[in-house]
């Protein structure tokens, strides 16, 4: 299998594979309901960005999301994908161009992992070899070993693994847009944190346009380039960056939604990649343990990082452990604290505390080892967090409701 060549981490706009989404005066009235579930929403979702939809239960988040891929037909308004008005095109065709992930992956139980992933490529008429190659590539992307998992059924997977397959399936035909409805709602907190980190890493690579519904404001802060705060009827209360929403909540409703400790939550904005990482001595399975130990001692380090053939961490033996080995083992040690470079410092801290290690291994593209982060750096960075959000951020994209009392919906009404 060919190794993917490393691409520069710094990506310019030309690397964006997502398309912008525009909702123009979109309304949904369910039959028999006196008030619309979604009331004249105008919302601009920039290409290649992650936009989080938050708000109380029943405020219209899911309805808004499902109108983007027309699983729910809007009663009024227009939906524009890139430059194309998709309001009236065939819904099935549209959904092949928009990935969709729901809670617990939404996998078909009677199909294997590979069959689940192949659904859209098959509909698009890809040949068997291309589908098989793509499946391998996607399982790799979501950190599931293709040989182990491709022929399993969903019930033979953990919740987190099912969710990963759900993401792989949604990405199968490389759609420009990914919609996710509470994708991490059904997993335990540690798994949720890992899946979030993984999504951040995948997005650094793919630069899709991603819209995510969540109940969890902390998740919105962590994953979102932008957050939309809705109230009933999908009324947009605030649409801004996490930084600015935390620093300047539009009103008491948003404040109450953020909950207490907005200052603390700003810590969640700091990423592992913003901190200087320490270098480490690395070794490969099969290396002579005495030679490795000599190198570790010479460098004055306490541990060696054992990497697999793709530079992913396998284990992190101490000098003591090394002194008892003849050769470096090939087994992965589940207790090794590993964290993605997109993870927040809060998460790094959690991982260190859970593993008792006072440090964690940081991975970058495709899970390759990037360096070590220690508890001292995390503490320093946390001390250095300033409470003030910078105001030289990009202008916020448009988000309004037609018929809201400030009259900003006027130009939309004329369009339709
Ligand atoms: N098929 C339907 N028929 C009638 N009313 C519906 C239907 N689906 C949703 N609704 C109503 O529309 C409103 C918005 O629902 P929606 O599912 O979009 O909310 P939500 O913000 O996703 O809520 P939650 O956070 O609980 O998932 C709610 O009042 C709901 O009861
Ligand atoms: Mg919902």
């Amino acid at each position: 299998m060919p190794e993917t060549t490393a691409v520069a981490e710094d990506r310019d706009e030309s690397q964006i594979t997502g398309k912008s989404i525009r909702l123009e005066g979109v309304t949904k009235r369910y039959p028999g309901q006196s008030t619309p579930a979604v009331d004249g929403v105008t919302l601009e979702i920039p290409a290649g960005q992650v936009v989080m939809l938050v708000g109380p239960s029943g405020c219209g988040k899911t309805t808004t999301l499902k109108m983007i891929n027309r699983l729910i037909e809007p009663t009024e308004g227009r939906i524009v994908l890139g430059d194309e008005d998709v309001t009236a095109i065939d819904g099935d065709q549209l959904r092949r161009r928009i990935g969709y992930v729901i809670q617990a992956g939404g996998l078909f139980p009677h199909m294997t992992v590979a069959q689940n992933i192949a659904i859209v490529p098959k509909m698009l008429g890809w040949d068997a070899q291309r589908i098989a190659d793509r499946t391998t590539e996607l399982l790799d992307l979501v950190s599931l070993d293709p040989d182990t998992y491709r022929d399993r059924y969903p019930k033979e997977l953990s919740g987190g693994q099912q969710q990963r397959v759900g993401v792989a399936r949604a990405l199968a035909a490389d759609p420009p847009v990914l919609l996710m409805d509470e994708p991490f709602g059904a997993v335990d907190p540690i798994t949720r944190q890992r899946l979030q980190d993984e999504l951040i890493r995948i997005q650094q690579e793919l630069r899709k346009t991603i819209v995510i519904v969540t109940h969890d404001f902390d998740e919105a802060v962590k994953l979102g380039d932008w957050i939309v705060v809705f109230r009933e009827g999908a009324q947009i209360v605030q649409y801004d960056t996490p930084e600015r929403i935390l620093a300047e909540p539009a009103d008491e409703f948003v404040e109450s939604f953020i909950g207490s400790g907005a200052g603390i939550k700003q810590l969640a904005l700091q990423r592992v990649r913003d901190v200087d990482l320490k270098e480490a001595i690395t070794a490969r399975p099969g290396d002579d343990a005495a030679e490795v130990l000599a190198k570790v001692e010479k460098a004055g380090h306490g541990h060696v990082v054992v990497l697999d053939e793709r530079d992913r961490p396998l284990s992190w033996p101490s000098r003591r452990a090394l002194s008892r080995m003849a050769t470096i083992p090939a087994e992965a040690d589940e207790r090794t604290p590993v964290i993605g470079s997109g993870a927040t410092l809060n998460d790094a801290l959690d991982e260190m505390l859970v593993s008792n290690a006072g440090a964690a291994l940081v991975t970058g593209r495709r899970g390759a080892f990037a360096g070590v982060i220690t508890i001292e750096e995390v503490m320093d960075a946390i001390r250095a967090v300033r409470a003030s959000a910078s105001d030289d951020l990009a202008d916020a994209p448009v988000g309004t409701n037609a018929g809201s009392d400030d009259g900003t919906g006027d130009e939309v009404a004329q369009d339709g």
Side-chain angles (χ1 to χ4, degrees):
M1 207 185 319
E3 278 281 339
T4 14
T5 29
V7 184
E9 288 285 349
D10 273 11
R11 300 202 142 201
D12 55 72
E13 301 231 326
S14 63
Q15 237 83 41
I16 292 174
T17 63
K19 282 189 180 167
S20 64
I21 305 164
R22 240 177 37 244
L23 307 186
E24 296 180 1
V26 171
T27 292
K28 178 65 191 183
R29 259 179 252 279
Y30 287 109
Q33 304 277 330
S34 54
T35 51
V38 172
D39 192 3
V41 173
T42 291
L43 188 63
E44 214 179 85
I45 295 168
Q49 310 248 305
V50 180
V51 173
M52 309 295 294
L53 309 184
V54 305
S57 185
C59 72
K61 303 180 294 294
T62 296
T63 304
T64 302
L65 195 76
K66 284 184 169 174
M67 285 195 289
I68 295 174
N69 66 4
R70 302 242 317 283
L71 279 172
I72 293 176
E73 294 287 346
T75 317
E76 278 166 45
R78 295 206 312 157
I79 294 159
V80 182
L81 190 64
D83 300 326
E84 187 189 354
D85 187 334
V86 295
T87 323
I89 73 164
D90 179 69
D92 287 330
Q93 295 282 349
L94 178 65
R95 284 186 284 279
R96 285 170 208 177
R97 295 194 271 145
I98 298 182
Y100 184 53
V101 184
I102 57 172
Q103 226 178 57
L107 303 175
F108 294 113
H110 58 288
M111 291 184 180
T112 64
V113 165
Q115 287 166 341
N116 266 284
I117 293 174
I119 292 171
V120 173
K122 266 196 176 151
M123 288 196 286
L124 293 173
W126 294 16
D127 65 56
Q129 188 58 50
R130 185 173 172 204
I131 293 176
D133 291 346
R134 180 68 178 153
T135 302
T136 302
E137 184 183 18
L138 284 163
L139 286 173
D140 244 355
L141 181 73
V142 299
S143 305
L144 290 175
D145 178 49
D147 293 336
T148 311
Y149 292 104
R150 82 163 57 82
D151 295 323
R152 287 207 191 170
Y153 286 89
K155 66 171 187 312
E156 299 166 330
L157 303 175
S158 74
Q161 289 165 343
Q162 289 182 24
Q163 202 57 27
R164 289 185 170 96
V165 175
V167 171
R169 183 176 66 176
L171 288 169
D174 203 22
V177 170
L178 206 55
L179 308 178
M180 309 178 93
D181 197 347
E182 309 212 24
F184 311 131
V187 295
D188 65 90
I190 296 275
T191 305
R192 182 182 312 149
Q193 177 212 306
R194 297 221 168 117
L195 291 171
Q196 289 168 342
D197 292 346
E198 223 160 80
L199 185 70
I200 291 168
R201 176 182 58 73
I202 290 171
Q203 172 66 350
Q204 276 171 351
E205 218 168 296
L206 302 182
R207 300 287 293 272
K208 302 288 179 191
T209 305
I210 305 182
V211 187
I212 306 178
V213 169
T214 180
H215 265 107
D216 178 355
F217 194 78
D218 293 343
E219 178 166 272
V221 167
K222 180 172 174 183
L223 296 179
D225 296 307
W226 305 95
I227 299 175
V228 186
V229 185
F230 285 127
R231 75 166 99 216
E232 303 72 51
Q235 293 285 325
I236 297 170
V237 191
Q238 193 164 13
Y239 182 16
D240 216 324
T241 60
E243 287 87 345
R244 277 201 292 221
I245 290 182
L246 285 168
E248 300 162 37
D251 60 16
E252 280 179 9
F253 175 81
V254 179
E255 250 170 61
S256 69
F257 207 79
I258 292 171
S260 58
I264 303 285
K265 287 196 169 80
Q266 286 186 336
L267 291 178
L269 294 167
Q270 295 248 319
R271 305 277 170 182
V272 168
R273 73 171 93 87
D274 303 328
V275 173
D276 286 333
L277 300 179
K278 291 204 158 43
E279 287 182 11
I281 304 291
T282 61
R284 304 281 176 182
D287 284 357
D288 181 79
E291 280 173 28
V292 173
L293 178 60
K295 270 198 257 175
V296 170
E297 280 171 346
K298 186 156 177 265
H301 291 183
H303 296 74
V304 65
V305 182
V306 180
L307 303 178
D308 72 6
E309 72 282 1
R310 293 208 228 154
D311 292 339
R312 295 172 300 197
L314 285 171
S315 61
W316 200 24
S318 64
R319 285 191 199 185
R320 230 166 98 94
L322 278 172
S323 68
R324 297 195 204 117
M325 297 169 181
T327 55
I328 302 293
E331 290 80 52
D333 180 354
E334 293 295 325
R335 295 161 306 171
T336 312
V338 176
I339 195 125
S341 63
T344 66
L345 293 187
N346 278 352
D347 293 338
L349 208 51
D350 280 351
E351 188 72 35
M352 290 175 198
L353 296 174
V354 169
S355 74
N356 259 331
L361 305 183
V362 178
T363 55
R365 268 181 67 85
R366 299 274 160 126
F369 176 63
V372 176
I373 185 167
T374 68
I375 205 151
E376 285 79 23
E377 272 124 33
V378 175
M379 299 313 286
D380 284 351
I382 286 174
R383 270 184 222 113
V385 168
R386 285 169 306 236
S388 65
S390 53
D391 5 28
D392 56 353
L393 295 158
D395 282 335
V398 176
T400 59
N401 291 75
S404 56
D405 47 15
D406 60 5
T408 46
D410 283 355
E411 73 275 15
V412 173
Q414 281 158 19
D415 259 333

